[in-house]
């Protein structure tokens, strides 16, 4: 059932999210039971979003979003949206060109370990509360279209990108990459693989991979010990999960070429240099699949 609201509201862009109020409401109606309970049969009159991205999000903007209904001046439902944007990704690209060093990545990984430990230490508050479908046909179709678009503009990458087909179309393998060795929380190596795959040059990445899994596991164990707990998986399991998560991240690398090639705010020679570096350092990972 479609959420009640004025047609003009459905077509209205919400702040600078790039999303319409109608799209947001339809997604909430379809997937969020608490939203349906909060709004009921009332007519939605306003959807607001405030950018709270400062020091939060990775290549994304974070919006605190509120829903209002008739005859009620207060928000009846609020939530947070994380939206990837090209300007954030361009900022990340600029930052990583200047800060691709082992100490920076180690600091990030240590924070990831602390964050994951916090989740494990309070699992009674979230466990079994967020069921989701990991992979569907829309996801696979999106990857296929993305790769086809990249091949049109960079035909020299066709052979490497075609190696991804057997991964993208293997549902069981894709789900294992996402869930890995920790079914309830998701693959704990996923975040680390994303940072290292997308934010380091090849030589730094390979040096990091000689010790970074041990470094993460050591810190995770230390942070969980504060609550008298220990990781539910072994170090070797985490290393296996990291390898699968890295392959998963490779499937998203073609998207970066599309994002950065659409940036027209820098000089053409700078843009060309960025693309060449991206192809050299990022797509080098394809050769290891």
């Amino acid at each position: 059932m479609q959420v009640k609201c004025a047609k003009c509201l459905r077509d209205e862009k919400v702040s600078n999210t790039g999303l319409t109020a109608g799209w947001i409401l339809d997604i909430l109606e379809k997937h969020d039971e608490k939203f349906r309970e909060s709004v009921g049969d009332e007519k939605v009159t306003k959807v607001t979003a405030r950018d709270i991205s400062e020091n939060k999000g990775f290549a994304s903007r974070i919006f605190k979003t509120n829903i209002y209904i008739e005859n009620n001046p207060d928000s009846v439902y609020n939530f947070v949206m994380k939206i990837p944007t090209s300007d954030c990704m361009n900022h990340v690209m600029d930052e990583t060109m200047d800060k691709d060093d082992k100490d920076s990545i180690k600091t990030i990984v240590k924070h990831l370990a602390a964050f994951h430990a916090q989740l494990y230490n309070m699992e009674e508050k979230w466990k079994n509360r967020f069921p989701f479908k990991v992979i569907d046909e829309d996801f696979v179709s999106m990857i296929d279209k993305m790769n086809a678009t990249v091949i049109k503009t960079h035909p020299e990458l066709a052979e490497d990108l075609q190696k991804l087909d057997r991964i993208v179309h293997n549902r069981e393998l894709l789900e294992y990459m996402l869930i890995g060795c920790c079914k309830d929380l998701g693959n704990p190596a996923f975040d680390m693989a994303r940072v290292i795959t997308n934010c380091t040059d090849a030589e730094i990445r390979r040096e990091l991979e000689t010790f970074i899994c041990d470094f993460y596991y050591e810190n995770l164990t230390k942070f969980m010990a504060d609550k008298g707990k220990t990781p539910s998986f072994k170090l070797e399991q985490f290393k296996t999960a990291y390898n699968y998560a890295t392959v998963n991240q490779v499937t998203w690398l073609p998207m970066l070429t599309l994002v950065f090639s659409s940036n027209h705010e820098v000089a053409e020679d700078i843009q060309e240099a960025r693309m060449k570096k991206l192809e050299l350092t990022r797509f080098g990972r394809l050769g290891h699949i």
Side-chain angles (χ1 to χ4, degrees):
M1 182 179 68
Q2 195 174 73
V3 180
K4 293 180 181 177
C5 68
K7 185 181 186 305
C8 60
L9 177 63
R10 294 195 66 83
D11 298 333
E12 182 180 301
K13 288 288 182 69
V14 178
S15 183
N16 60 332
T17 64
L19 305 175
T20 64
W23 188 90
I24 293 172
L25 293 173
D26 288 344
I27 292 296
L28 291 171
E29 172 65 25
K30 182 177 179 180
H31 298 285
D32 193 332
E33 181 179 353
K34 188 175 179 181
F35 166 78
R36 294 193 294 268
E37 293 174 354
S38 300
V39 173
D41 292 328
E42 300 295 332
K43 184 177 182 179
V44 174
T45 57
K46 184 169 61 172
V47 180
T48 65
R50 180 166 60 90
D51 192 334
I52 57 171
S53 303
E54 186 175 2
N55 298 321
K56 304 178 183 73
F58 177 78
S60 302
R61 291 201 179 279
I62 310 297
F63 294 91
K64 183 177 181 181
T65 311
N66 295 280
I67 308 293
Y68 297 84
I69 60 176
E70 277 186 330
N71 303 317
N72 191 336
D74 300 319
S75 169
V76 296
Y77 192 69
N78 58 79
F79 58 98
V80 171
M81 294 191 295
K82 181 180 180 183
I83 303 175
T85 62
S86 59
D87 61 323
C88 289
M89 291 185 180
N90 287 328
H91 175 70
V92 169
M93 187 67 165
D94 290 337
E95 289 292 302
T96 55
M97 284 183 174
D98 296 330
K99 299 181 179 179
D100 258 357
D101 60 74
K102 296 187 292 295
D103 289 339
S104 295
I105 299 299
K106 284 180 65 178
T107 298
I108 293 172
V109 169
K110 187 173 182 178
H111 284 303
L112 283 177
F115 172 63
H116 291 164
Q118 178 73 2
L119 291 176
Y120 284 122
N121 289 338
M122 57 183 289
E123 65 178 3
E124 70 281 353
K125 295 185 178 181
W126 56 260
K127 193 172 183 178
N128 299 322
R129 290 187 59 190
F130 303 101
F132 65 99
K133 187 176 182 179
V134 178
I135 302 295
D136 58 20
E137 293 305 321
D138 289 339
F139 176 88
V140 174
S141 176
M142 176 182 64
I143 298 294
D144 286 340
K145 291 177 181 177
M146 186 169 64
N147 288 344
T149 302
V150 172
I151 289 172
K152 284 183 181 179
T153 55
H154 299 280
E156 70 276 10
L157 297 176
E159 183 177 352
D160 284 333
L161 289 175
Q162 286 165 2
K163 295 177 182 179
L164 298 177
D165 284 349
R166 68 178 186 271
I167 297 170
V168 172
H169 293 275
N170 185 329
R171 185 71 57 86
E172 184 178 349
L173 179 58
L174 270 179
E175 291 194 359
Y176 185 82
M177 288 177 190
L178 289 174
I179 298 174
C181 64
C182 240
K183 188 171 183 180
D184 293 318
L185 181 60
N187 184 342
F190 193 87
D191 292 329
M192 192 173 83
R194 172 165 291 181
V195 170
I196 292 176
T197 300
N198 292 298
C199 300
T200 64
D201 288 343
E203 65 272 20
I204 293 175
R205 181 177 65 238
R206 288 164 187 161
E207 186 174 350
L208 281 168
E209 289 176 344
T210 64
F211 67 85
I212 201 68
C213 287
D214 299 77
F215 178 77
Y216 167 89
Y217 194 82
E218 176 186 340
N219 279 280
L220 179 70
T221 302
K222 181 180 69 175
F223 290 129
M224 290 187 67
D226 293 341
K227 298 293 184 179
K229 296 187 177 184
T230 58
S232 60
F233 50 89
K234 303 297 183 183
L235 174 59
E236 291 305 315
Q237 289 177 297
F238 180 78
K239 289 181 177 179
T240 299
Y242 171 79
N243 289 334
Y244 277 104
T246 299
V247 176
N248 175 272
Q249 288 306 306
V250 170
T251 66
W252 290 98
L253 288 178
M255 180 183 68
L256 295 181
T257 67
L258 300 180
V259 171
F260 294 127
S261 63
S262 66
N263 178 23
H264 303 295
E265 297 178 0
V266 298
E268 185 177 345
D269 57 340
I270 296 175
Q271 182 69 358
E272 182 181 357
R274 285 180 174 178
M275 290 301 300
K276 292 300 182 184
K277 182 174 183 180
L278 185 69
E279 292 166 16
L280 176 66
T281 62
R282 274 43 171 184
F283 282 96
R285 176 64 90 183
L286 288 172
H288 296 283
I289 295 179

